[in-house]
Amino acid sequence: MAKITFPDGFVWGAATASYQIEGAATADGRGASIWDTFSATPGKVLNGDTGAVACDHYNRYPDDIRLMRDQIGLDAYRFSIAWPRILPQGDGAVNPAGLDFYDRLVDGLLEAGITPYATLFHWDLPQALEDRGGWPHRGVVDAYINYADVTTRRLGDRVKHWMTFNEPWVFTFLGYCAGIHAPGKTSWADYLAGMHHFLLAHGGAVPVIRQNSADASVGLVLNLNWADAASDSAEDQAAVARAMSFQNNWILDPLYRGEYPADMVALYDEAGIMPEIRDGDMARIQGAPDFLGVNFYTRLVVRHDDSVEILRFSDVPQSGEHTEMGWEVSPESLYRLLMWTWQNYAPEHLYITENGAAFADEVSADGAVHDERRLNFYREYLTNVHRAITEGVPMRGYFAWSLLDNFEWAEGYSKRFGITYVDYETQQRILKDSGKWYAQVIENNGF
Ligand code: IFM
């Protein structure tokens, strides 16, 4: 195989999220989040798992930083900040102990020579804000901007890469429409209102973060979708356009063009579910982020399907390799998506902020975790990231998902995404073969 070398300065990282790894759910004044409530509700999370302990990263972060530095050699670490640690009621009184934790984490990373990339919101909304209506309620916008202000005022002197949100499509659609994520609501109108308020919160927070964190770059992270058509029929081709517009353009068009995409507006208008858009909203939202983070795991193959309300498309199962999540392994789709994003929106910088796979890992008799399928997954996807770079896409870095096995939301601890195995009984960490391979990639800036 030909040697693949990434551009000088390409950032190699790994990612996590607060609720998935921190545990310590009631420590030091942390308030409850919607995921504490949801996971404590019988039947919502597989096996009744919760994030109450998770990887105990809140207490073990110094060891985890040593793992990042000594065993993997990470350039950068992407983590998220738990809003209910900083503002236990969502707004109002600040909890100094919450800010202190992230202070220690950031200082520890910098001492280890690892650049912090901080996400302000990775789904753990304070329960108190949900009680006031959550993302569908416009009041959340000011609460978020205040939270972003408090947090970046404290950490902005040292954190210079900020992501306002992680995967807004997931927390709004799966949380407020499909009902399979917290808070478990099932309303199209709530989903679209939640989306609009996320966009306003992002737009309102960006200037605040820039002011608090001199020379920082401020972006956001989207789980952009790549869809192929199940057939050449005109109906299936139109279904692809809807699938892309539903998940991608609905966020990218407001950000880069200051308007929602007309095709989806027509559908949502017909269904009577368009959110309230006040004068000046779209101007507040519009503004190219300094970078776009792309999270990518699989593709969709879609066909026209009149039985599906509003969207009228459904996913057609494919043969070929799938991960434990049931997601098709489709590395070339990442290349296609990156080209599409760059050609349509011309983001100044792009990162892969998450990419990875869940497989059923086991610790072997030799004490190692031989996860060859994950290693191959990374090699194939990275090959396609490189291909996009050679064709001009301004990729600046890549973050493996995830640094550690962790709480995989509605799937609990049943799905392992880590490049590091976590024994949840003992909290022992074992760098998997994929992690060892990734350490070599980092050292050689390629493979
Ligand atoms: O674990 C999640 C993460 O929180 C967000 N992106 C997808 C990952 C795998 O499902």
Side-chain angles (χ1 to χ4, degrees), residues 20-215:
Q20 294 181 273
I21 65 161
E22 285 179 2
T26 55
D28 300 335
R30 176 186 178 278
S33 78
I34 56 172
W35 271 95
D36 296 289
T37 309
F38 190 73
S39 59
T41 309
K44 297 297 187 194
V45 173
L46 197 65
N47 303 319
D49 291 343
T50 77
V53 178
C55 308
D56 192 30
H57 173 78
Y58 188 77
N59 296 306
R60 292 167 193 268
Y61 74 90
D63 291 342
D64 289 336
I65 292 174
R66 274 191 284 278
L67 165 77
M68 296 179 217
R69 183 192 61 192
D70 299 343
Q71 293 194 57
I72 315 178
L74 291 183
D75 299 327
Y77 173 51
R78 173 175 174 243
F79 61 97
S80 80
I81 293 168
W83 186 345
R85 283 199 198 283
I86 311 296
L87 292 140
Q89 296 304 310
D91 54 12
V94 174
N95 175 32
L99 284 168
D100 291 347
F101 169 66
Y102 295 105
D103 234 13
R104 294 194 295 277
L105 176 65
V106 165
D107 286 346
L109 289 167
L110 292 171
E111 273 162 34
I114 299 167
T115 306
Y117 280 61
T119 308
L120 284 164
F121 185 77
H122 196 128
W123 310 353
D124 38 4
L125 184 73
Q127 180 61 44
L129 290 179
E130 183 57 36
D131 295 343
R132 286 187 250 156
W135 285 105
H137 175 62
R138 197 169 168 116
V140 77
V141 175
D142 284 343
Y144 175 87
I145 295 168
N146 173 58
Y147 157 60
D149 184 25
V150 168
T151 306
T152 57
R153 252 190 287 135
R154 177 68 175 269
L155 301 173
D157 56 335
R158 285 151 293 151
V159 176
K160 295 298 178 186
H161 298 86
W162 291 99
M163 287 148 283
T164 53
F165 283 89
N166 182 73
E167 298 185 1
W169 179 85
V170 174
F171 73 82
T172 55
F173 189 75
L174 299 190
Y176 290 95
C177 189
I180 57 173
H181 275 197
K185 301 269 170 66
T186 51
S187 151
W188 272 91
D190 281 355
Y191 151 60
L192 288 171
M195 265 286 183
H196 191 62
H197 298 147
F198 131 70
L199 284 164
L200 285 169
H202 165 83
V206 169
V208 173
I209 301 170
R210 289 204 175 115
Q211 196 178 352
N212 292 342
S213 188
D215 304 324

Side-chain angles (χ1 to χ4, degrees), residues 20 122-123 166-167 295 297 327 354 401 408-409 417:
Q20 294 181 273
H122 196 128
W123 310 353
N166 182 73
E167 298 185 1
N295 292 357
Y297 291 88
W327 295 343
E354 286 181 27
W401 182 269
E408 176 53 25
W409 308 111
F417 272 94

Side-chain angles (χ1 to χ4, degrees), residues 68-393:
M68 296 179 217
R69 183 192 61 192
D70 299 343
Q71 293 194 57
I72 315 178
L74 291 183
D75 299 327
Y77 173 51
R78 173 175 174 243
F79 61 97
S80 80
I81 293 168
W83 186 345
R85 283 199 198 283
I86 311 296
L87 292 140
Q89 296 304 310
D91 54 12
V94 174
N95 175 32
L99 284 168
D100 291 347
F101 169 66
Y102 295 105
D103 234 13
R104 294 194 295 277
L105 176 65
V106 165
D107 286 346
L109 289 167
L110 292 171
E111 273 162 34
I114 299 167
T115 306
Y117 280 61
T119 308
L120 284 164
F121 185 77
H122 196 128
W123 310 353
D124 38 4
L125 184 73
Q127 180 61 44
L129 290 179
E130 183 57 36
D131 295 343
R132 286 187 250 156
W135 285 105
H137 175 62
R138 197 169 168 116
V140 77
V141 175
D142 284 343
Y144 175 87
I145 295 168
N146 173 58
Y147 157 60
D149 184 25
V150 168
T151 306
T152 57
R153 252 190 287 135
R154 177 68 175 269
L155 301 173
D157 56 335
R158 285 151 293 151
V159 176
K160 295 298 178 186
H161 298 86
W162 291 99
M163 287 148 283
T164 53
F165 283 89
N166 182 73
E167 298 185 1
W169 179 85
V170 174
F171 73 82
T172 55
F173 189 75
L174 299 190
Y176 290 95
C177 189
I180 57 173
H181 275 197
K185 301 269 170 66
T186 51
S187 151
W188 272 91
D190 281 355
Y191 151 60
L192 288 171
M195 265 286 183
H196 191 62
H197 298 147
F198 131 70
L199 284 164
L200 285 169
H202 165 83
V206 169
V208 173
I209 301 170
R210 289 204 175 115
Q211 196 178 352
N212 292 342
S213 188
D215 304 324
S217 64
V218 187
L220 84 171
V221 170
L222 305 178
N223 60 313
L224 296 178
N225 181 24
W226 182 257
D228 288 310
S231 81
D232 291 339
S233 76
E235 277 197 322
D236 286 353
Q237 299 292 332
V240 165
R242 277 198 301 285
M244 297 283 280
S245 204
F246 166 57
Q247 208 169 316
N248 302 346
N249 308 61
W250 193 258
I251 300 173
L252 292 168
D253 281 16
L255 288 174
Y256 287 90
R257 297 173 186 157
E259 59 189 13
Y260 284 116
D263 55 348
M264 295 310 291
V265 171
L267 282 183
Y268 295 152
D269 263 340
E270 197 185 315
I273 54 174
M274 270 300 283
E276 183 198 356
I277 301 172
R278 296 189 189 164
D279 280 355
D281 278 3
M282 299 317 288
R284 276 175 79 188
I285 291 168
Q286 186 177 11
D290 296 331
F291 66 90
L292 197 59
V294 176
N295 292 357
F296 192 79
Y297 291 88
T298 189
R299 68 164 176 166
L300 287 181
V301 177
V302 300
R303 68 178 176 88
H304 180 91
D305 186 346
D306 277 324
S307 73
V308 176
E309 64 169 349
I310 299 170
L311 299 173
R312 290 181 293 110
F313 70 80
S314 58
D315 187 19
V316 181
Q318 300 298 298
S319 56
E321 188 179 16
H322 288 68
T323 70
E324 281 289 296
M325 295 294 281
W327 295 343
E328 184 192 355
V329 177
S330 180
E332 205 182 338
S333 301
L334 176 54
Y335 160 75
R336 294 191 194 288
L337 174 70
L338 291 173
M339 296 302 289
W340 177 89
T341 307
W342 179 51
Q343 284 161 357
N344 284 286
Y345 297 97
E348 202 181 335
H349 301 303
L350 280 152
Y351 290 86
I352 300 299
T353 32
E354 286 181 27
N355 178 224
F359 289 114
D361 302 312
E362 278 172 19
V363 182
S364 299
D366 62 0
V369 178
H370 301 300
D371 60 335
E372 198 186 343
R373 290 179 69 193
R374 185 177 290 103
L375 191 159
N376 290 335
F377 179 102
Y378 278 120
R379 189 197 293 113
E380 295 305 315
Y381 277 81
L382 278 169
T383 301
N384 280 280
V385 173
H386 186 264
R387 186 175 166 201
I389 293 172
T390 59
E391 295 190 25
V393 180

